[in-house]
Structures are given as structure tokens and as C-alpha cells.
Amino acid sequence: MEKDLDPQETAEWLESLDAVRRAAGPERADYLLRRLATSSRYVNTVPTAEEPPYPGDLELEERIAAYDRWNAAAMVSRGSKLGLGGHMATYASAAWLYEIGFNHFFHGTDDQVYFQGHASPGIYARAFLEGRLSEKQLDAFRRETRGGLPSYPHPRALPDFWQFPTVSMGLGPLNAVYQARFNRYLHNRGIKDTSNSHVWAFLGDGEMDEPESTAALTLAAREGLDNLTFVINCNLQRLDGPVRGNTRIVQELESVFRGAGWHVVKALWGQEWDGLLHDDELVARLGEIPDGQFQTFAASDGAYIREHLFHGLRTSASDEELRRVVGGSRAGHEPRKVYAAYHRATSVKGAPTVVLVQTVKGWTLGAGVEARNANHQMKKLTLAEFREMGERLGLPVPPLEGEFPPFLHPGPGSPEVRYALERRAALGGPTPKRAYVQKNLELPGDKPFHSLAKGSTQPVATTMAFVRLVKDLMKEPETGRRWVPIVPDEARTFGMESLFPTAKIYSPLGQRYDSVDRELLLAYKESEQGQILIEGITEAGSMASLTAAATSYATHGEPMIPFYIFYSMFGWQRTGDQMWALADQLGRGFLVGATAGRTTMTGEGLQHADGHSHLLASANPAALSYDPAFAYEVGVIVRDGLRRMYGPAPENVFYYLTVYNEPLPQPAMPEGVEEGIVKGIYRYSAGGGQAHILASGTAVHWALAAQKMLDEEYGVGADVWSVTSWSELRREAMATDGVPYLKQALAGTDGPVIAVSDWMRAVPDQIAPWIERPWTSLGTDGFGLSDTREAVREHFGVDPRSIADAVLKAIE
């Protein structure tokens, strides 16, 4: 506990609070304490008198910022001729938030910066000034087919530049928290020293409405992530209007972050406010005026401001001064204020910090844009508006002719460019930059896969087969420590408790308690060096951890092998946006949809019964989706995934495997089926070839039962094929100019084809165009049910009898 510097004052406060408790009740005392803990005066955290000395050449930095402002606006305006869209107002409000970072805080070799997606034109403009991007690239903004720049931060589209995709709002702050946490994980496990790494996340105040934006705040505080800083641009506007028209977003966010355990630094008012803020009544009034009204002040004249803000107050300021100060003097537009806020934020230890910076949306773009509700949709300034902006920024603007403004650059040898490059060199190099140096891993040999290949007479679910395989792979001398098991608090459901005593559960606090099951063989064990990430009940947090681990090969030069195991229903359906962001970020790893299928987990009802995740996954070009039926298929697919993602020629893909919780005997792997498993299909059981039953996952077992039934009861011989991936067969068929693998596999056979799976019919129907013979598909379309597996399969018409009937009908 901290030392009490004034015990007498403490006693007086406690006595006063006790009096409130006795007179008004404990609820009133609790309310006062919470208000005191979560809010403060509506002023800057760092007053002008306490600002640290500014370390840079302010005159040069102002000229650099001016060029960046102009070129960002020009980029969007020039693209408007083609209707390409883009955003000017966001960066215009936040320019100094980035420039101070570029010049003084973003360490190129250590830090990770999540740039706000709508501010991307300004980030491109800064890179243009530094010589990293060409005028041709800027002029083709949002024209990627012409070699231009992607609209937003998209690593897959610009892989040597962007690190993190952030424009799907809410995912940036969530991923930033888990990135900072993963940095500590790497450090604590001894894989990489990340003690100098800092994570910055630049966000909008409207973006904080997204539940993902605040979902992990308590995690960051609980784990003491002082390597994390949020910078929230409080320009008081969403995309269509005020963020909190009737209340105040700054105070709301301050309460949220303080309550979650974060340090809060406010940078609200510019230096010109210093002469006004000595009036406590004005300060109190500022803390009560709703954001919608304050947005109006930013677009109003001094007389209106005097009437509606200063009524009843005495001030010597003229109407013009009130218009200038109240209308536009914000801390976010003054480099000294921004620097002071960042300096304070990065000096605080023991907890993450949020910087709440107040700005005017569209600042410097002219009266027609600044603080206007429609400015997010404004894509073009007139030449007259550009001329006015150039004069305001002090830029050497040539005569403006034609329809669109030129890009401006001071020249590669100019003082501005030399200064910008010197600052970046001093901070470790350019940013944003995605640097990737291939680090080959020694892939595991045959031994870990042997037990799955030889099969088992004892019933084993494919979920358990996968967990056993990974447990063996984690013992490998080189790659073993690089596995990152991730699970949202259901490890025991998936049979992962056997990993607890050996791999242990990661916690930066270690284990400060005696586990209730400490005497048992499979006791729950936490450790600072723990390997397993048990995220709590959060699929979104688990995906954020997977993303950090899956991209560590580029972010940190350390390839990690994450696998995230989850109820398949709560994967692509629940966090599919994050899976697309994972693809954008070029992530590599394994997603494992456990308790898969619509009929294998029937006791829990329709919301847990997944019959469509393979359809959702098939739409993602980076996802390789497999639905293995047997343990040996799991082994072959995982081994192929390790080769493709971590071998000599690594690919930017990730794997989605569905595994089942239905214990069944596991056969030994037949000879020569590895290629078919990886490609997507092979004949598992020949039965006469009068018909062909194509099945995936647990449905292969129903198909085998139907095959036997057809032979014994009707004398009909059907072949059973294991389809390990419907979507990969479809992709290969669409991409090839020759004979698709599917047709090669079925070559030399005839007779009707009956496809069956534990998924809706649209999943196997993906390959129907390449089956040039009678086609029937069976599936589990509709909602799931609570009943026995047998009853539900009969209901959906995918049980062995239904399959046999479909075959008989097809060969009539």
C-alpha cells in the first residue's frame, strides 16, 4: 500500500464519508466514491505550466504537417473524379496526433502502431514526403489494379507497408490489447525480448461504441500492460453526427477507462484557453455542455458563443477571440499539447494508458467542412478551398488550374525531408512498415504422427485425436515451444486438461493460490512461462490472441504455431470478421472447430448445432477448410499445414479443421491416400461401384453403414469416398486449366453420386458442377434439435437408412 502523506486529511475525508453513509445510506457514499474515482475536471491533465520542453524543431514539423495535410486532401479529391471515395476529415482532425508520433515516439524496430483506418490518406502522405511512396501511387489511391494504394490499412494489399488491418471498427482496439499481451507472453516465455516494444492504437471516439473496442480493457489493466497506449481522437463526431449529442463522450470514456483500471490523460484545450480556464464556473460549465452543442460552437461566430456559453460570466475576450479560441483552439491541434500528453502517457508504469484528445473534425479544410455533420462523406474540395487551405498552412502553392489540385513536395533534399528522415532514423526506421525475414523451422518427423496413422480399436473422437497429436508435437525440440494453444475456457470439454501440468496456463502473475485439484495428476497450473492461453469466455479475445500469434513471424520475426480450438458454431458465425482480418494480416495457424456438425452435439439444441461453418469458411480465400473423418486424416492435414505455413516456402494461409466429439474406432491409414487427403478426396472403401457415396467428417461412418446395408439387404455395391475438403476440391477445379483433381479421382467410375455430410446441402453442392452424372446431396438444412444423435440424423435424412434409400432411388 502507498504511504499516506497526510494522515490527518485522510482521517477527515473518512469521517466525512462516514457521515454521508450514516445520513444518506451506503449507496450515496458509494456513488460519491465512484464519481471521484472515475472522473475529474474537464481540463488538460498536463497544464501549460507543467509541459515538458519540446524536443524538436517545431517550425520544420509544422511545415511537414502542412504538406501532409495538403496531400491527404488532394489524394482524396483527385480520386473523386472516378467516384472512388475516401475520407479527408478524420486525418485533418488527427494530423498532429500522428506527426508527433512519427517525429518523437514511434520506434520503427520495436513498436506496433494501429493506425485509424479512415486516416490512411494522411499516413500515405507522410510516406510520400519521406520518399517511400511515389506520386504515381498517390494519384492511383483506391486503384489497386493500376498499382495504386489500397483504401485502408490492408497488409495483404500492401504487404511491405501496413502491419495491421484496422478499418473494421472495433477490431483495432481489441487486437491492440491482445498484441500488447502477446508481446509480454513472448518475453515471459523467453522466445524474444520485447521489453522495449510499445503498442499504440489510434481510435475515434465514435469507434468506441463498438463493443469490441472496450471488451478487453480489464484484461489490459489486470495484466499491467504498460506497453500499451490508446489515443482516442475526440472530435465529437461519428459518421453522421455528434457522438454523444446530449451528453459528453470525453467524460464517459474517462469513467470507462478509469473504472477498468487504466491511466487517463486528457488533452482537451489549446494554449489560448489558458486565459479563460482560471474561471472555475466556466470549467464546470464546460463539463456540462453536451457534445452536440460544443460541436455547434466550433462552427459558430463569437456572438453566438458568448450568448450560449458565457451567459452570466464575465470575460474580456472579444467576439473574434471567442470564435477563434472556443471555435478551434483544441489540444489536438497543438504539437506541444500532444507531445506533453504522449510524454505523460509513456512515463506511467504499471497499467495501460489512454490519451483522450479533443479536436475539430475536418480541421484546416475550411468552414464548409470543419465540424459539419456531413464531413465524413465529403470527398472533394474546390480549388478555391484548396487555395484558402494553402494560405492558412503557409504552403508554397503554385497557381491552381484545371479541376484538381497538384500534390506538393518540398524536394528530396529539402530541410523538411531531411528532418523527417533523421527523426525516423533516430527512432529505428520507417513506420508503418511490415518487415519479414523468413525464418525456417525444422518440421517434425514421422514419430508424432505415427499413433494416428496406426489407428485405434478403442473409440476415439477426432477432437481427442487432434489434441493428442498437438501434445506430442509440443514435445518436439525445435517447434514444440512455438505451439500456442488457445481456448476460450472450455479446455476440459475438448480433452485438453492433460496439457495443464506440463505446458501450463499462461499468467503474468504466475499462480498465487493453491489449486483445489493440486493433488490430482491433471491439476490446474498457471505460470509466467505457461504456454496455453485460456482466454476466459471470449471468442473475440481468443481470435485476437490467435491473430497476434499467427502474425508473429512478421511482427517479431518469430514464427509461432497457434491453434485456437472452439465450438465450431461460435467460430465463423460469431467472429468471422476477425477471421477475415486474420487473412488480411497474412496470418498463419490452425482454427479448430470442435464438436462440429449439426447432429453430433444434439443435447444442447439449435444454437450449438453447426451445419454451416464450412460454407462461411469457403468464402475466405486464405482459409483452407477440412472436414476429416478419421484420426489419420487429421494427422496428414496438420502435417501438410505445417509444411505449407512454416516450411521452406511458407504461404500466407491458415487452416480450418472441423473435429467431432463422437468417439468411434479409428482405422489405420490405408496405403497411398496422403495426396487424396490433402487434395480433398480419395476412395476409402470399394464396394462394387454401382453408386458412389461421397461423405465427409463423421458422415463417412454413416456412409459405411449404408454401404453394408445396401450390400447385405439389396445386393447393391456402392463405393464410399472420404471427402476431406469440399471447398478445396471446388477451388482447385475453378483454378485449373486442365482436368480437375475431382474428375481425376473419379475417372474410370460410373454410376450416380450421393453426397452426404453433417452440414447443410450447400456445402457438398459446391462440387456438383464437376460431377457429370446423376447427383444427389443429403444434408442437415434447418435448425438443430435436442434429441439422440440417431433420432436427429433420421429427422434430417442423413442416417444410414436414408443414405441407402437415396442410393436405391438414384440407380433405379
Side-chain angles (χ1 to χ4, degrees), residues 619-698:
N620 190 305
L624 308 182
S625 303
Y626 287 90
D627 188 31
F630 305 117
Y632 68 78
E633 292 180 353
V634 172
V636 171
I637 294 165
V638 170
R639 192 170 191 176
D640 181 66
L642 291 174
R643 176 189 64 81
R644 289 187 65 175
M645 295 185 291
Y646 302 96
E651 301 174 49
N652 295 319
V653 296
F654 60 91
Y655 278 59
Y656 176 53
L657 277 71
T658 43
V659 291
Y660 297 82
N661 67 329
E662 188 170 15
L664 293 165
Q666 296 296 332
M669 183 166 67
E671 292 287 336
V673 298
E674 289 92 336
E675 181 186 27
I677 292 171
V678 171
K679 294 282 191 179
I681 187 172
Y682 67 97
R683 180 158 36 196
Y684 175 75
S685 176
Q690 291 176 262
H692 301 272
I693 307 173
L694 277 56
S696 72
T698 195

Side-chain angles (χ1 to χ4, degrees), residues 507 509-515 518 524-528:
S507 169
L509 303 176
Q511 183 162 315
R512 298 180 173 181
Y513 61 93
D514 291 331
S515 173
R518 62 190 180 279
Y524 196 87
K525 291 187 179 180
E526 301 184 60
S527 169
E528 279 188 81

Side-chain angles (χ1 to χ4, degrees), residues 211-479:
E212 295 91 347
S213 294
T214 55
L217 298 188
T218 54
L219 167 72
R222 187 167 63 246
E223 299 205 359
L225 298 180
D226 52 15
N227 60 339
L228 173 66
T229 299
F230 277 16
V231 179
I232 303 180
N233 178 17
C234 298
N235 58 34
L236 312 185
Q237 289 185 238
R238 287 198 192 104
L239 309 186
D240 287 327
V243 177
R244 293 289 182 271
N246 293 303
T247 57
R248 292 154 300 282
I249 186 61
V250 170
Q251 288 167 307
E252 179 181 320
L253 292 175
E254 181 179 15
S255 297
V256 168
F257 279 89
R258 284 192 189 278
W262 287 52
H263 295 292
V264 177
V265 177
K266 297 200 296 288
L268 307 178
W269 312 114
Q271 188 170 345
E272 288 190 291
W273 278 88
D274 289 353
L276 300 174
L277 295 178
H278 64 275
D279 187 332
D280 288 341
E281 187 174 347
L282 174 61
V283 172
R285 190 171 293 181
L286 290 172
E288 296 171 353
I289 293 175
D291 286 352
Q293 185 63 48
F294 211 88
Q295 179 191 349
T296 300
F297 290 154
S300 301
D301 59 27
Y304 180 91
I305 293 169
R306 185 182 300 278
E307 177 185 355
H308 291 85
L309 177 60
F310 285 87
H311 58 87
L313 300 180
R314 298 181 63 182
T315 177
S316 60
S318 67
D319 284 357
E320 175 56 27
E321 287 172 327
L322 291 181
R323 184 202 63 78
R324 187 181 70 252
V325 177
V326 177
S329 181
R330 303 288 188 273
H333 303 321
E334 298 186 14
R336 292 183 185 275
K337 298 292 183 186
V338 177
Y339 178 84
Y342 288 6
H343 184 272
R344 176 66 62 89
T346 54
S347 300
V348 174
K349 302 301 179 186
T353 302
V354 60
V355 183
L356 304 176
V357 189
Q358 195 156 262
T359 66
V360 174
K361 191 168 184 178
W363 186 242
T364 73
L365 297 182
V369 179
E370 292 175 355
R372 303 295 175 178
N373 278 339
N375 60 21
H376 189 76
Q377 283 74 35
M378 293 178 180
K379 316 298 182 187
K380 178 183 177 181
L381 298 181
T382 65
L383 291 185
E385 288 171 320
F386 268 104
R387 192 176 299 111
E388 180 183 341
M389 182 172 71
E391 292 173 0
R392 183 173 179 180
L393 296 174
L395 287 170
V397 180
L400 299 181
E401 300 175 351
E403 188 179 359
F404 297 101
F407 294 110
L408 300 181
H409 196 285
S414 65
E416 293 89 348
V417 172
R418 289 201 307 270
Y419 181 86
L421 295 178
E422 287 168 2
R423 292 308 309 143
R424 291 312 313 153
L427 290 166
T431 193
K433 181 180 180 182
R434 186 178 183 275
Y436 165 51
V437 178
Q438 185 171 325
K439 185 175 184 177
N440 292 331
L441 300 182
E442 183 179 339
L443 298 179
D446 296 335
K447 185 177 179 182
F449 303 95
H450 180 67
S451 61
L452 270 61
K454 71 178 183 180
S456 169
T457 56
Q458 182 178 352
V460 176
T462 50
T463 298
M464 183 58 68
F466 175 83
V467 171
R468 288 180 181 177
L469 172 62
V470 172
K471 185 178 180 181
D472 289 339
L473 290 170
M474 288 170 66
K475 298 175 184 177
E476 289 289 295
E478 166 56 25
T479 55

Side-chain angles (χ1 to χ4, degrees), residues 58 93 113 120 151 228 322 332 384 467 660 721:
L58 190 52
S93 69
V113 184
S120 61
S151 53
L228 173 66
L322 291 181
V467 171
Y660 297 82
W721 300 70

